[in-house]
Amino acid sequence: MANVPDTLSGILERILFHNEENHFCVGELTPSGGGATVTIAGRLPGVQCGETLELQGSWDHHSRFGRQFKLSGFSSRLPATVHGIRKYLSSGLVEGIGKGYANKIVDHFGEDTLDVISHFSAKLQDVPGIGQKRARQIKQAWEEQKALRDVMIFLQTYGVGTAQCIRLVKKYGSETQSILETEPYRLAREVDGIGFLTADKIALNLGFPNEGDARLDAGILHAMHTLEGDGHTCATPEALNRSAQELLKTRPEVLESRIHRLVRDTALVASPPDGYLQFPATSQSEQKITSGLHLLLGGHSRLPPIKVDKAVEWAQEKAGFNFAPQQSAALKMALNNRVCILTGGPGTGKTTILRALVSILRAKKVRIELASPTGRAAQRLAESAGHPARTLHRLLKYEPAENSFVHDEGNPLACDYLIVDEASMLDTRLGAALFTAIAQGSHLLLVGDIDQLPSVGPGNLLKDLIQCGLATVTRLDTIFRQVGGSSIVSTAHDILAGRINLPEAGIGSKDQDFHFLPAVDAQDCVDQVVRLCRDILPNRGYDPLRQSQVLAPMHRGVAGIQNFNTILQEALKPSSRSQQVSGTQFRTGDKVIQLRNNYDKNLFNGDVGFIAGIDISSGQIQVEFQKEIKEFEKGELSDLALAYAISIHKSQGSEYPVVVLPLMKQHFMMLQRNLAYTGVTRGKTEVFVIGEPEAYAMAVSNAKSNIRLTNLQEKIALG
């Protein structure tokens, strides 16, 4: 073996394995000197079958795969032979050229094919079946592929995966590498999936100074984004400075100077009265909520005259039962006031009030709109109120291309009464769009559970509106829905009261809807969750994929979301067609979750679907969301994650027939009362808590939730 050279060249014939995240490849190479193909293994970003590779490395013997060449470095060049070009273009890397067209083009142009595509693409029209449009498409795709290849090679040492590289090229096109080299911090601001840390690593390796203005400004703005990611809409100058110090390891006085500069340059604003720092867009959103609220409270009501007492009596007769005093009072509140908030936990009669309110308004020919932040919540609202409901984005008519809503202050909603359910999910931006679009004289009712987790996005809108004192608030605290001795509802209210009531260990009959299964450690917890989902739930008549949901407090650890997804995928979908994306193996039939809003697809953060099909050659995946098929290109797949288990935060606005809630002491950082409450109240028919009694007790006893700093109440007070 000592005489075997440490270099190898040849044509890449096949890619046997490719990790999208780190670009590790296993492939087969035909050596330049001829002979049998050899196995090669190592990092090969951006390469395609048909390319000629010059490899550095060493020969090794793999226990399973035999003799292979392990790479330490490589260079590549585009194929020059007809065989190589045909294989290269047949790989599907260039949009508009499949195997059929690849053969036609190569048959026509031979070894000149790639030169023709690069420099004389109009000649492609000489090939039968290729018109002007397809020729332009091929040329554009070719240029994008070249840019992508360069970017992948440039970024291979920075931990940037294929999906992020595709995003970069789509954003910047042929200028991508130039921007990477001259303005790397732009990536953190402008490209999803490329954070400050990655941009900073690139910049520092390129020689950008530690205390250069570009780095300091990018770090400060990233620290502000991180605070927004934690739910805050603003920060004190001191808090922002501390966060930036931790990130940049820079002197506080230097950061203080740059923060002042960012305020002067309006990258940040100091909002009155306390000088809290905010992004301009966030401050504007809070101001829009403020202006919209004051507008709604002034002027003349659009509602026709309503004799409220008689209307309530009529609604009771229509419902066939008398409302409880608290329900009647809430209904009268909603009819008498411009801006109302109805809050309460499960079983407190919110559905009864909504149904009665809608009946009265419809009888009076009032133009009503019902909406909710998510599609699932909107569907539930329509069912409970007996009236059509939409997502807020559909109601306000979001335009992705303009990143704005059709309905705004210049084009308000044509409605007299707007009801918004699951209002605890409203973040500041969506709240601003809502308040901007409501016409003066209209009425607004916000319905939500203030004890649930707050919105995923920044802000604490429902709480701020309750505390500002201008909205009329009814808090329901009497339990009415206790059908058949249900203990889910009573347990939820026990949690709110800080009472630790667990049933006897074990799985009861189907008449019992709340169960506790003790686990001795994290692995035992995982094993019990798997057994429950794979064996017990089907025996109780449930589809474990479509009728149950595992809700875990944390992502990492043995009893974390990531591990649950890996184990449950194997247990429930042991084999099928698959696609590897960023370290995740997606399979046909997998339950998946959308991780960020995609307005082009009308999909939102937290939407759950099922993989309906996978195209191995293109990497495209089809996903069914609420009976609609959405297609995801290869560069979009990082928007998806497995959803056999999801976070409790992601479950907001949803209900499931069965909820499985693992709670272990290792989750201690997240064990809070509102988290346990939110998890339990997602269950409609049965809830299974699996874990340590001490962990459940810790969650119920911990009433402290992370306080969100906002500036909304201050803006409302200032008018």
Side-chain angles (χ1 to χ4, degrees):
M1 293 295 278
N3 297 322
V4 177
D6 61 356
T7 60
L8 180 68
S9 67
I11 294 174
L12 182 62
E13 296 288 345
R14 284 206 304 158
I15 296 174
L16 305 173
F17 171 81
H18 179 223
N19 186 312
E20 298 275 356
E21 190 70 19
N22 60 17
H23 309 299
F24 181 84
C25 241
V26 179
E28 290 182 347
L29 187 95
T30 299
S32 299
T37 59
V38 297
T39 302
I40 61 173
R43 291 170 62 147
L44 286 169
V47 300
Q48 300 290 335
C49 294
E51 291 185 43
T52 298
L53 303 181
E54 303 283 345
L55 309 176
Q56 300 86 47
S58 60
W59 289 99
D60 188 34
H61 188 85
H62 193 278
S63 59
R64 182 176 174 188
F65 301 108
R67 190 168 182 256
Q68 58 181 225
F69 193 83
K70 293 181 68 175
L71 312 183
S72 59
F74 84 102
S75 62
S76 69
R77 60 180 186 271
L78 293 176
T81 66
V82 169
H83 166 74
I85 295 169
R86 195 183 302 276
K87 185 170 282 291
Y88 188 69
L89 292 181
S90 297
S91 65
L93 84 157
V94 180
E95 189 177 346
I97 303 181
K99 193 170 182 178
Y101 276 115
N103 286 329
K104 287 182 181 180
I105 294 169
V106 176
D107 287 344
H108 194 88
F109 297 111
E111 293 180 356
D112 297 328
T113 295
L114 300 185
D115 187 55
V116 168
I117 296 174
S118 295
H119 303 107
F120 310 101
S121 58
K123 288 186 177 182
L124 291 169
Q125 297 175 64
D126 297 342
V127 178
I130 296 182
Q132 188 179 28
K133 183 178 178 182
R134 185 176 287 273
R136 282 200 305 268
Q137 182 187 14
I138 290 171
K139 172 67 172 177
Q140 183 183 347
W142 176 256
E143 294 298 331
E144 285 183 358
Q145 180 60 31
K146 284 203 303 183
L148 178 61
R149 174 194 178 86
D150 292 342
V151 168
M152 289 172 75
I153 292 171
F154 179 78
L155 293 176
Q156 64 174 306
T157 59
Y158 299 106
V160 180
T162 302
Q164 286 78 22
C165 290
I166 292 171
R167 281 203 178 98
L168 283 169
V169 173
K170 283 192 173 181
K171 177 77 174 177
Y172 302 122
S174 60
E175 297 180 9
T176 303
Q177 190 157 348
S178 172
I179 290 170
L180 284 169
E181 292 173 343
T182 59
E183 300 178 270
Y185 291 108
R186 282 181 61 181
L187 277 60
R189 297 194 306 271
E190 299 176 356
V191 183
D192 284 340
I194 305 288
F196 171 80
L197 295 178
T198 299
D200 195 42
K201 191 188 295 184
I202 296 168
L204 292 176
N205 280 354
L206 290 170
F208 280 70
N210 259 358
E211 292 193 351
D213 292 349
R215 181 172 189 259
L216 296 178
D217 291 353
I220 292 166
L221 295 176
H222 176 75
M224 190 70 233
H225 275 296
T226 302
L227 289 167
E228 280 205 347
D230 292 335
H232 308 289
T233 68
C234 58
T236 65
E238 296 77 19
L240 181 58
N241 195 311
R242 283 195 302 273
S243 294
Q245 283 179 59
E246 291 176 13
L247 182 70
L248 298 167
K249 311 300 185 216
T250 305
R251 293 167 294 157
E253 60 271 20
V254 174
L255 291 170
E256 186 178 2
S257 172
R258 292 312 303 173
I259 289 171
H260 287 312
R261 170 63 71 173
L262 288 169
V263 172
R264 284 199 299 272
D265 294 344
T266 67
L268 295 171
V269 298
S271 295
D274 300 315
Y276 289 159
L277 298 173
Q278 298 185 279
F279 284 120
T282 306
S283 180
Q284 289 164 14
S285 290
E286 289 185 337
Q287 191 57 56
K288 286 178 179 178
I289 294 168
T290 298
S291 301
L293 176 63
H294 286 288
L295 188 70
L296 283 175
L297 292 169
H300 298 287
S301 171
R302 290 187 171 203
L303 297 189
I306 299 175
K307 295 179 179 177
V308 172
D309 290 339
K310 289 196 173 186
V312 173
E313 289 176 11
W314 174 85
Q316 288 182 132
E317 290 174 11
K318 193 171 186 297
F321 61 89
N322 290 330
F323 302 152
Q326 197 175 54
Q327 292 174 313
S328 295
L331 188 53
K332 292 174 183 179
M333 171 219 50
L335 291 168
N336 281 323
N337 296 278
R338 299 287 183 81
V339 180
C340 303
I341 296 173
L342 180 64
T343 183
T348 55
K350 294 193 297 291
T351 297
T352 298
I353 296 164
L354 284 180
R355 201 173 265 279
L357 177 62
V358 168
S359 295
I360 293 168
L361 295 174
R362 287 172 67 172
K364 288 292 186 177
K365 305 293 191 272
V366 173
R367 295 176 299 173
I368 319 167
E369 290 285 0
L370 273 64
S372 194
T374 69
R376 302 180 308 278
Q379 186 178 357
R380 283 176 38 227
L381 174 60
E383 292 167 358
S384 59
H387 188 85
R390 292 180 277 179
T391 65
L392 279 166
H393 282 83
R394 286 201 169 179
L395 174 69
L396 304 178
K397 296 182 179 176
Y398 183 76
E399 293 285 354
E402 285 77 34
N403 190 29
S404 63
F405 295 90
V406 170
H407 289 294
D408 55 18
E409 62 268 29
N411 182 27
L413 292 166
C415 86
D416 307 315
Y417 205 115
L418 174 61
I419 299 171
V420 179
D421 197 18
E422 296 290 352
S424 63
M425 298 179 67
L426 287 171
D427 62 20
T428 300
R429 182 176 181 265
L430 190 53
L434 169 68
F435 275 88
T436 303
I438 306 174
Q440 187 173 29
S442 298
H443 288 236
L444 172 66
L445 173 64
L446 298 175
V447 184
D449 189 345
I450 194 63
D451 296 309
Q452 285 187 30
L453 293 167
S455 61
V456 174
N460 207 347
L461 181 59
L462 186 62
K463 185 177 180 181
D464 283 342
L465 289 175
I466 288 173
Q467 293 182 346
C468 78
L470 295 183
T472 306
V473 181
T474 296
R475 177 156 189 160
L476 304 173
D477 52 17
T478 302
I479 303 173
F480 299 104
R481 175 163 61 89
Q482 197 74 14
V483 181
S486 167
S487 54
I488 293 175
V489 172
S490 60
T491 299
H493 288 271
D494 282 343
I495 292 171
L496 289 182
R499 294 189 292 267
I500 304 164
N501 286 330
L502 281 172
E504 288 186 15
I507 298 175
S509 67
K510 286 199 70 173
D511 294 334
Q512 183 181 333
D513 62 2
F514 188 78
H515 315 267
F516 173 67
L517 302 176
V520 295
D521 55 30
Q523 188 57 54
D524 184 35
C525 176
V526 171
D527 293 342
Q528 293 205 56
V529 169
V530 171
R531 185 170 66 90
L532 180 70
C533 294
R534 185 188 59 208
D535 304 325
I536 297 171
L537 292 182
N539 289 336
R540 293 170 80 89
Y542 298 112
D543 181 337
L545 285 181
R546 294 184 179 266
Q547 292 183 294
S548 74
Q549 184 62 61
V550 178
L551 302 177
M554 295 180 68
H555 283 270
R556 302 192 181 278
V558 175
I561 292 164
Q562 293 175 0
N563 191 46
F564 273 124
N565 273 319
T566 301
I567 304 270
L568 287 169
Q569 182 192 49
E570 195 60 35
L572 301 177
K573 301 294 297 182
S575 64
S576 67
R577 181 177 285 252
S578 65
Q579 174 72 35
Q580 181 85 15
V581 181
S582 300
T584 300
Q585 193 81 13
F586 288 117
R587 298 174 177 175
T588 306
D590 271 338
K591 189 177 188 177
V592 293
I593 187 168
Q594 178 76 15
L595 296 177
R596 57 175 61 88
N597 293 341
N598 185 323
Y599 302 111
D600 291 323
K601 289 184 170 62
N602 196 36
L603 292 175
F604 302 96
N605 187 352
D607 284 347
V608 171
F610 296 86
I611 295 180
I614 296 175
D615 187 328
I616 300 295
S617 60
S618 68
Q620 189 184 70
I621 289 181
Q622 295 82 43
V623 185
E624 176 210 334
F625 289 95
Q626 295 188 337
K627 300 182 180 178
E628 285 187 42
I629 298 294
K630 308 287 185 179
E631 293 189 343
F632 289 77
E633 303 296 330
K634 196 171 183 177
E636 300 175 313
L637 297 183
S638 58
D639 289 355
L640 298 174
L642 294 177
Y644 296 91
I646 64 174
S647 71
I648 297 173
H649 286 81
K650 292 282 190 186
S651 74
Q652 291 178 86
S654 297
E655 280 187 349
Y656 314 94
V658 178
V659 160
V660 181
L661 191 61
L663 291 176
M664 302 295 295
K665 285 186 291 187
Q666 68 171 233
H667 301 139
F668 71 93
M669 291 182 63
M670 298 296 293
L671 293 177
Q672 297 171 349
R673 185 176 295 175
N674 60 355
L675 183 124
Y677 173 77
T678 302
V680 168
T681 55
R682 299 310 89 200
K684 201 172 176 181
T685 307
E686 294 192 71
V687 172
F688 296 84
V689 174
I690 302 178
E692 297 166 304
E694 298 87 353
Y696 182 83
M698 287 168 65
V700 173
S701 302
N702 182 13
K704 296 178 182 177
S705 56
N706 294 327
I707 297 172
R708 294 189 168 192
L709 189 62
T710 76
N711 201 234
L712 180 57
Q713 289 189 57
E714 287 79 0
K715 285 185 173 69
I716 292 172
L718 291 170

